Amino acid sequence: MPQNSRGYGVTEESLTLRRPDDWHVHLRDGAMMAAVLPYTARQFARAIIMPNLVPPVTTIAAAKAYRDRILKALPAGSDFEPLMTCYLTDHIDPDEVGRGAREKVFRAAKLYPSHATTNSAHGVSDIAKIEKVLERMADEGLPLLVHGEVTDPSVDIFDREAVFIERVLAPLMRRIPELRIVFEHATTKDAVQFITDAGPNIAATITPHHLVINRNALFQGGLRPHMYCLPVAKREAHRLALRQAATSGKPKFFLGTDTAPHPTKDKESDCGCAGIFAAPAALETYARVFEEDGALDKLEAFASLNGPAFYRLPANEGRITLRRAPTKVPALVNVGEIGVQPFLAGETIGWQIA
Ligand code: NCD
Ligand code: ZN
């Protein structure tokens, strides 16, 4: 198959790319991790591992121990590197974050506004409290990953991302312009516009589900807990803006699945958990989206090149091939007695990882 210098090649039957990375993954721990990790490791060479465990990963020692548990849980023969992150709290020690960055244990630090999402009770109550840490991160070149939603209950849930940009993000970027920021799981045209217009120190990840569903999916014929994640899916105009950004090939947008598995019983509940288990058919879903938009030639930039460039890491040398063949997304993934339902459970996608 003809391949260009970057490794991309497409024919009638297949598509070959440099091996992609996933820049936003929740692997959890224990039996859940053992069950979900193979889905990530089969497609991605590296992944940014989110630190929102209970208790959260706030120290170098905790990140190293978690990394070791991940490596131990990998299926034999996997070639997968977990990139660890630090969970920022009001009381996080700037020296610990700085040392973790120097030792390359921490590849980034995550800002969860407190109570914004799953396991964020220990998150930051006011960004002013971590100014010293953020300055230190800017000095070390350690990227800040933001869950970009305000938690002010008086702000409509569909507006919380746009309001975060105005109230928190834009002022932060004026105060510490050297800080490198990834706006995680962008869900609005406001975020796309802001990031496009801003300088080179900010980029964004985009999930497969936010490229596929809009907020109607949450209410399709009844309440659909498996379509619920945070930030919640928005109107169609936002989904279209995200698709345009992802398929543009622009360096500021890259792949981050935000795969966030929860036991089915915790999703199908009176107070269902936020999180979509996107890993089982992630790359296949992105390929479908890029094909639908006539942009398969931009998939490699989004999936395999833009992320490493922002994180100042080399792109992967390996290749992955997707064949045009139907893949059935599993209806349920079992974790012992517990079931976890993937995004697009039971549906067929026209791409298969070779
Ligand atoms: C994530 C989780 O379950 O850990 N949930 C989600 O809806 N995305 C947390 C997060 O990334 O917000
Ligand atoms: Zn997440």
Side-chain angles (χ1 to χ4, degrees):
M1 172 193 320
Q3 285 183 15
N4 70 11
S5 57
R6 303 185 120 176
Y8 165 78
V10 67
T11 68
E12 284 293 301
E13 300 84 40
S14 73
L15 168 67
T16 297
L17 312 170
R18 268 184 195 267
R19 196 140 168 246
D21 304 297
D22 187 344
W23 301 97
H24 189 136
V25 170
H26 300 272
L27 282 184
R28 316 301 191 206
D29 216 338
M32 176 69 95
M33 174 169 75
V36 302
L37 173 60
Y39 291 101
T40 293
R42 69 188 259 278
Q43 21 185 345
F44 300 109
R46 295 170 291 198
I48 280 283
I49 309 301
M50 289 295 161
N52 61 333
L53 301 183
V54 186
V57 178
T58 55
T59 63
I60 297 169
K64 280 184 170 168
Y66 187 25
R67 184 175 61 193
D68 289 346
R69 295 197 296 281
I70 295 167
L71 293 174
K72 257 205 193 121
L74 277 172
S78 311
D79 175 16
F80 175 75
E81 185 187 1
L83 305 174
M84 309 312 290
T85 60
C86 177
Y87 181 114
L88 298 174
T89 67
D90 284 353
H91 305 292
I92 192 97
D93 176 4
D95 288 337
E96 182 80 2
V97 177
R99 201 159 57 82
R102 290 225 171 141
E103 292 178 8
K104 294 192 172 10
V105 177
F106 295 145
R107 300 307 188 129
K110 179 75 186 273
L111 169 65
Y112 289 102
S114 89
H115 302 289
T117 185
T118 305
N119 299 341
S120 62
H122 299 278
V124 174
S125 65
D126 177 354
I127 195 159
K129 295 194 175 165
I130 58 162
E131 200 76 3
K132 285 268 165 322
V133 181
L134 298 174
E135 284 167 3
R136 184 65 173 271
M137 288 171 58
D139 291 345
E140 300 287 350
L142 189 73
L144 174 72
L145 315 183
V146 295
H147 182 110
E149 290 191 288
V150 292
T151 54
D152 179 347
S154 71
V155 177
D156 188 283
I157 189 161
F158 294 101
D159 296 334
R160 287 180 188 176
E161 184 170 291
V163 172
F164 180 91
I165 292 169
E166 178 195 313
R167 285 192 196 165
V168 183
L169 184 61
L172 169 65
M173 290 168 65
R174 284 193 292 270
R175 285 199 310 281
I176 318 181
E178 314 76 33
L179 183 62
R180 301 172 60 253
I181 300 173
V182 182
F183 192 89
E184 298 295 336
H185 40 50
T187 65
T188 57
K189 59 177 193 269
D190 311 68
V192 167
Q193 193 64 54
F194 179 82
I195 290 154
T196 303
D197 294 347
N201 283 348
I202 186 160
T205 56
I206 303 180
T207 76
H209 35 287
H210 290 109
L211 294 172
V212 172
I213 62 167
N214 64 31
R215 64 191 194 176
N216 287 346
L218 282 143
F219 309 105
Q220 185 100 52
L223 198 54
R224 299 289 188 169
H226 297 285
M227 295 297 186
Y228 175 56
C229 66
L230 286 169
V232 70
K234 309 293 193 298
R235 287 178 180 275
E236 179 65 357
H238 296 287
R239 184 183 76 96
L240 294 177
L242 295 170
R243 281 179 80 118
Q244 208 166 46
T247 60
S248 69
K250 285 184 188 154
K252 288 190 163 202
F253 299 100
F254 49 84
L255 186 159
T257 63
D258 192 21
T259 180
H262 290 277
T264 298
K265 66 170 172 43
D266 295 346
K267 300 271 306 164
E268 299 170 2
S269 139
D270 179 45
C271 186
C273 293
I276 291 180
F277 179 34
L283 192 59
E284 296 90 332
T285 303
Y286 283 118
R288 179 164 87 178
V289 165
F290 277 65
E291 179 169 46
E292 284 168 357
D293 288 4
L296 275 180
D297 61 325
K298 302 291 195 318
L299 181 60
E300 185 176 55
F302 177 77
S304 317
L305 302 174
N306 298 347
F310 190 84
Y311 276 85
R312 298 176 172 162
L313 292 169
N316 297 306
E317 283 304 325
R319 301 285 188 271
I320 194 167
T321 294
L322 290 157
R323 262 203 287 273
R324 278 183 207 277
T327 306
K328 190 148 186 214
V329 184
L332 207 65
V333 168
N334 292 311
V335 186
E337 308 280 275
I338 293 166
V340 186
Q341 186 170 314
F343 182 55
L344 304 180
E347 287 189 28
T348 299
I349 301 180
W351 289 98
Q352 194 172 81
I353 296 177

